[in-house]
Amino acid sequence: MESESTQLSPKPHSVIAIYPGSFDPITNGHLDLIRRGARLFDKLVVSVLRNHDKTPLFSLDERIEMLREVVQGYPNVEVGSFTGLLVDHAAACSATVVLRGIRAISDYEYELQMAHMNHRLQPGIETVFLMSHEENSFISSRLVKEVFGLGGNISGLVPPSVEARLHRRLSEYQNVEVG
Ligand code: PNS
């Protein structure tokens, strides 16, 4: 019987990876992963999930715009969006890799489950994990929003353009509350 490794198709000439997520908003942790992924793969598609259960702070278009602003310096990085199964989207993009970051052991269980499920759905697509750098290991979009909403300092946790957007969003909310 052939072992699984001999059944795998040969490595494609150019390796396309998908980096999926909610990116509500993009943090410096995400950006670091994009920077490293762009070095590892021939093309990296950063894909924002549409129609997520969670109610986002930023609309899909805003999240895409923020991502495009910060990936301008990476010629092999594209920004897109998807709905439905991630593996179907990956296949439609001819991607053979799904890139995900792991910050702490608490991420591991969820990520492992997703990686196994995605592999079952589409065995030709591999999930590649990168460990977040130590300085980013505590950063999440959720905590950034919480800290910012409570008046805490978030500089250094998100790109400056994203921090500016958060300030604008906050003043929009304040104007609505006052008006
Ligand atoms: O930034 P997030 O919220 O951790 O990203 C989660 C994401 C978008 C990677 C995950 O929810 C996803 O892939 N959703 C698409 C639907 C899908 O394929 N579900 C089965 C995954 S095993």
Side-chain angles (χ1 to χ4, degrees):
M1 204 178 98
E2 277 192 319
S3 71
E4 196 189 349
S5 60
T6 57
Q7 288 167 14
L8 289 175
S9 17
K11 180 182 170 292
H13 290 302
S14 124
V15 180
I16 301 174
I18 295 273
Y19 178 33
S22 310
F23 303 106
D24 184 38
I26 177 172
T27 67
N28 282 348
H30 294 129
L31 193 53
D32 181 50
L33 224 74
I34 293 171
R35 184 182 58 77
R36 292 157 67 196
R39 278 214 315 253
L40 286 172
F41 304 109
D42 298 294
K43 181 170 142 187
L44 181 68
V45 183
V46 183
S47 278
V48 187
L49 175 65
R50 282 187 257 151
N51 308 333
H52 205 285
D53 304 338
K54 303 178 224 168
T55 311
L57 176 65
F58 292 102
S59 70
L60 176 71
D61 287 347
E62 287 173 316
R63 282 177 282 153
I64 289 176
E65 238 175 75
M66 282 188 272
L67 279 164
R68 291 212 169 114
E69 277 164 19
V70 298
V71 303
Q72 267 174 19
Y74 304 98
N76 63 335
V77 177
E78 271 177 23
V79 178
S81 67
F82 74 105
T83 186
L85 282 178
L86 169 63
V87 288
D88 290 345
H89 170 61
C93 294
S94 308
T96 50
V97 170
V98 169
L99 176 67
R100 292 287 288 173
I102 292 200
R103 290 163 299 192
I105 201 80
S106 50
D107 284 339
Y108 180 75
E109 212 171 319
Y110 169 61
E111 294 297 337
L112 185 72
Q113 237 183 343
M114 280 207 301
H116 282 315
M117 182 61 84
N118 284 333
H119 188 258
R120 189 174 189 279
L121 292 167
Q122 191 66 260
I125 295 175
E126 292 289 346
T127 301
V128 170
F129 293 112
L130 290 181
M131 301 300 147
S132 295
H133 281 145
E134 213 174 328
E135 67 267 28
N136 297 323
S137 62
F138 63 97
I139 308 177
S140 70
S141 301
R142 184 184 63 79
L143 271 187
V144 162
K145 287 182 282 191
E146 184 176 322
V147 169
F148 183 76
L150 296 170
N153 182 3
I154 53 147
S155 78
L157 304 182
V158 292
S161 56
V162 173
E163 192 176 344
R165 285 225 189 209
L166 278 161
H167 281 286
R168 286 211 297 277
R169 182 51 37 96
L170 187 68
S171 56
E172 281 162 21
Y173 279 151
Q174 284 166 344
N175 287 343
V176 169
E177 274 172 26
V178 170

